[in-house]
Amino acid sequence: MLKDLCPGCPHHCYLDETRCERGAEFAATGVLPPRKPRPAADHGDRKPNERKMQYRALDQNGKLVWSIRELAEMLNGAGGSEVFTCLREDDRAALLMLLEKVRLSQHRR
């Protein structure tokens, strides 16, 4: 599952459907090219996104909890049934199995 995803950008597209140059090169060669330097831009006094900084400071379990909470909000909102359309059928099945494993393990405690 994860080995089929592109590490080239934050979207983590499937390697056979890459949408970035780095991902396409990684899919073809197996080597992730370095990022191209961004042009110097004047960002002024813009502060870093506080939510992003909070997320980055979390450990793996904290990131899992954060992501699940955000997904729960999306599922409760309009269009919740479309949240998992970015996943292929086998990935949806794997996710379902993992979520059921976690949910059922909590019932035993």
Side-chain angles (χ1 to χ4, degrees), residues 8-100:
C9 71
H11 299 287
H12 301 296
C13 304
Y14 291 99
L15 286 173
D16 59 353
E17 298 174 2
T18 57
R19 291 182 275 167
C20 65
E21 289 179 33
R22 293 180 77 216
E25 189 170 333
F26 180 77
T29 65
V31 177
L32 186 63
R35 292 187 186 277
K36 292 180 182 174
R38 293 183 180 184
D42 181 24
H43 295 291
D45 293 327
R46 189 174 80 178
K47 295 179 182 177
N49 183 318
E50 188 173 329
R51 284 182 50 80
K52 184 185 282 188
M53 298 305 289
Q54 289 171 347
Y55 178 81
R56 287 182 177 172
L58 296 171
D59 63 2
Q60 187 177 33
N61 284 337
K63 288 179 181 180
L64 282 168
V65 170
W66 180 294
S67 295
I68 289 170
R69 283 184 182 144
E70 286 197 350
L71 281 171
E73 290 175 16
M74 289 179 210
L75 290 169
N76 289 330
S81 62
E82 298 175 7
V83 170
F84 300 108
T85 58
C86 64
L87 299 176
R88 292 183 177 168
E89 184 62 36
D90 57 330
D91 289 338
R92 281 194 297 272
L95 178 60
L96 176 60
M97 179 196 64
L98 292 170
L99 291 173
E100 286 178 344

